[in-house]
Amino acid sequence: MVKNETSSALKIIPLGGLHEIGKNTCVFEYDDEIILLDAGLAFPTEAMHGVNIVLPDTTYLRENRHKIKGMIVTHGHEDHIGGIAFHLKQFEIPVIYGPRLAMAMLEGKLEEAGVRDRTELRTVRPRDVVRLGKHFVVEYIRNTHSIADSFTVAINTPLGVVIHTGDFKIDHTPVDGENFDLQRLAEHGEKGVLCLLSDSTNAEVPGFTPSERSVYPNLDREFGKATGRLFVTTFASSVHRINMILQLAQKHNRAVSVVGRSMLNLIAHARNLGYIKCDDSVFHPLHAVRNMPDEKVLILTTGSQGETMAAMTRIANKEHPHIRIRPGDTVLFSANPIPGNTIAVVNTIDKLMIQGATVVYGRDKGIHVSGHGCQEEQKLMIALTRPKFFVPFHGEHRMLVKHAQTAQSMGIPAENMIIIQNGDVVELTENAIRVGGKVPSGIELVDTTSSGMVSAKVLQERQRMAEEGIVTIAAAIDWNGKLLAKPEIHLRGVVTSVERSLVQKWVQQRIEEILTVRWSEFTQPGE
Amino acid sequence: MVKNETSSALKIIPLGGLHEIGKNTCVFEYDDEIILLDAGLAFPTEAMHGVNIVLPDTTYLRENRHKIKGMIVTHGHEDHIGGIAFHLKQFEIPVIYGPRLAMAMLEGKLEEAGVRDRTELRTVRPRDVVRLGKHFVVEYIRNTHSIADSFTVAINTPLGVVIHTGDFKIDHTPVDGENFDLQRLAEHGEKGVLCLLSDSTNAEVPGFTPSERSVYPNLDREFGKATGRLFVTTFASSVHRINMILQLAQKHNRAVSVVGRSMLNLIAHARNLGYIKCDDSVFHPLHAVRNMPDEKVLILTTGSQGETMAAMTRIANKEHPHIRIRPGDTVLFSANPIPGNTIAVVNTIDKLMIQGATVVYGRDKGIHVSGHGCQEEQKLMIALTRPKFFVPFHGEHRMLVKHAQTAQSMGIPAENMIIIQNGDVVELTENAIRVGGKVPSGIELVDTTSSGMVSAKVLQERQRMAEEGIVTIAAAIDWNGKLLAKPEIHLRGVVTSVERSLVQKWVQQRIEEILTVRWSEFTQPGE
Ligand SMILES: [Zn+2]
Ligand SMILES: [Zn+2]
Ligand SMILES: [Zn+2]
Ligand SMILES: [Zn+2]
């Protein structure tokens, strides 16, 4: 790489993922070149009526489309790749690099959106080094996370190396045997890292996240206890967890039926690529397991977060076309509720219990661990990379603040750290880090059923109608200001204790009054 | 009391409070007499658009209004007294007994609703015994809870004593020095308790809930650390907590300004009755503390749950008319988020931090404890009262199941316990407990802004409009099926990428097409 002799700063501009968990999208810019790191989506809050998907504002990318050299994908979670298909409709990304599993999932998404031909997808392996444009050379460093094939990246820039951790925990006994490549991190630390951008998700949690493998004996115990049908629900993307569940199904002689499109999809990709090693004979369609003895059946489903349309939720609501809970069933929730989903999850659990299932849930059961590292792992990341500058990434404000405090406790000076928001333009030089400006950083709300953007105005109208309802009045008035017929009144979502006919009468009276008194005013100037 | 020689069963019918936390409302019925125990409200879920208050279906009480002899109130929380003012508009409750603080709060509510004259309010003191009708004699037994002046009740019926715990923890060092009257519980246990109905809120939590007093040194520490203005937010009804906060304000020489109507209201009542002992000089209006040095000011506010209209939330949203956060402020969240409020609370915390406040929150700080007892306290309650029959009350389904398991671990036989739902008619005799039927147990949704009931139909319409928006088309058509003018199109909450004028054109074309082809059909039969 040619060392650039001008005094250009490296710009780091997160468009999503800061002050939130979701829609991680980061811009790296140097001179006339931009590379992107991940482009995820977020899920709407309850107040975003009719919205399915939240995307970052990409005004900055649209305006600077000619600079975009390509994208680096760290792993296949929706909050890292879910936005790409939408963005490709708006601006060009000449090439996208990423791990095999993420690229397989992304390819499906792009095909579904009809934009597969708008970019080139290139898969990477651990320690692969890829060049984007003149200024960026990116090294993929294997890390450990809840999805398989996940990476930390070292971005070599004209000013030095910037390490973006991606999402990580430090799992010394990973289920797939793919160890975190701590050696490469250490080597970068030895040579000098200009800046570290690190995952802050669990910055408020002391200690270490237990290894994914620690879940195995606890799941094994619960498998052993179940005497009837066994249901297990987890995140569709948790490859390692699904792997262990499938191993346990074989150990406990249960035929597996997978229910839920996203999970079927992931399992197909993960088996193709060897991340899930499991014989075809393990899997059975739902209609086949229905005739097997209860104690020989495992149904693996989506819906661990109480999502309305997911399989486990529909089963609990007695809305699933093929599955009803019956006494003797056991349901394992191998996932903790994400804040905001708690109510939906506990309601689902209660409904399953009322229908007779034994439900196993809660932290004390040990059947779920986080995919993100806690404070001690965040410290280890800083200790290995020894960065000059530090920016906490991937987290809500409180988490970023806590992560910065952790870094400060390890000797990184306060002036070498900044807490930033989406849209902040971080200007990084060899000697200083600062926020040098701001680009548009709002959100775009997508209603996938109408495949359109939901504007703030539309949202306000929806909110208002949701709270108050709407009254429509149609009245035909002749040229003399007389009603030609009874006005038509429609109430939708309106609370009223009076009869509709009475409302009709009141409205008619009021219209007639107004017509009598003020018709002349209405008709004077224009007509 | 005359022992009734017939074989009548005692009926216990919860209309609210089971399979949920909220709107606790319980019917006790024997022969031709009904007494009520508490009548609370619940708060709406996000899907209940425009609804402010959720009440139980009171069809059963309306149909049996002639039987109602009176009501027993256990304590002043909204989930125990918030429904009474609404019910009094629908059926008569001749007399309501309750503790002084609850009655003071209730009186205000009834006056506001214009129903103060529809019942008689009678205050009770610890160990007071009140008779209702021929069959019920109720003893008030002091307990400990997060609000002052809270009671467990022993209901003497012709079949034996039924103990309803109300809400309780077992706090051996209560802030107000009013100890749990364990002696009376023990005496009932010695004489024989037919049935125990017990608070299940923390049935899933092992161990003991710490004493309310344990919060004091932790709050003291945080008060000591604050160098600028100090904000403290907690539940408006947490009398003991507010008491300690006021004591600490005096210790740390801070003038107190209370912000938030419900908290001002409670403090006034609690001071009147001596539950909060605090000199007038401690309290200052907001405009007075604005001129004091920052380190002399404490602002005590509502909004610990991130409730949209509460003071702390409005401050965080920069919407409060008189208060803005500035760097140097410290905010203590002396409350844990109730599930479902987590997102609102953490968003509030983040906004306060972004504006420069130091925010102290989270379980590890020890500045909040629960008002409900955990498993060991639930066991102690069972051990003291030694009930023949046991029904877990006040909790979601999982909690009820866990509470029953706890009781079973202490030797209560499974056949002597039942897990019930709202509307279940528990039939209790000296020898058996069973569910003997079901009364209507739905919910009524109140939109307080229109003071009307929100029906399921209205809710569905609101939900639909919130998700999809609404299109209204008004067209004036003459007798020959010709459009008299351009149709008027209104889109509200509708997602569309096309121009409004184009929609107008399409609609007009379509209407004209239909009129041309099908006008004869429309007009044939009727006209
Ligand atoms: Zn992520
Ligand atoms: Zn991830
Ligand atoms: Zn309660
Ligand atoms: Zn209570």
Side-chain angles (χ1 to χ4, degrees), chain B residues 121-137:
Chain B
L121 300 182
R122 292 198 196 148
T123 59
V124 296
R125 303 270 186 158
R127 299 205 176 180
D128 273 1
V129 173
V130 300
R131 172 180 288 276
L132 293 112
K134 302 182 296 292
H135 296 311
F136 297 100
V137 175

Side-chain angles (χ1 to χ4, degrees), chain B residues 186-203:
Chain B
E187 200 171 323
H188 282 293
E190 180 66 23
K191 286 192 199 150
V193 170
L194 181 63
C195 186
L196 175 67
L197 316 173
S198 186
D199 175 4
S200 310
T201 311
N202 281 337

Side-chain angles (χ1 to χ4, degrees), chain A residues 75-80 145-147 150 166-168 199 371-372 394:
Chain A
H75 67 290
H77 274 147
E78 284 286 19
D79 62 323
H80 295 260
H145 185 38
S146 45
I147 195 170
S150 175
D167 292 4
F168 77 99
D199 175 4
H372 298 268
H394 200 285

Side-chain angles (χ1 to χ4, degrees), chain B residues 75 77 79-80 145-147 150 167 372 394:
Chain B
H75 68 290
H77 275 147
D79 62 323
H80 295 260
H145 185 38
S146 46
I147 194 169
S150 175
D167 291 5
H372 298 268
H394 201 286

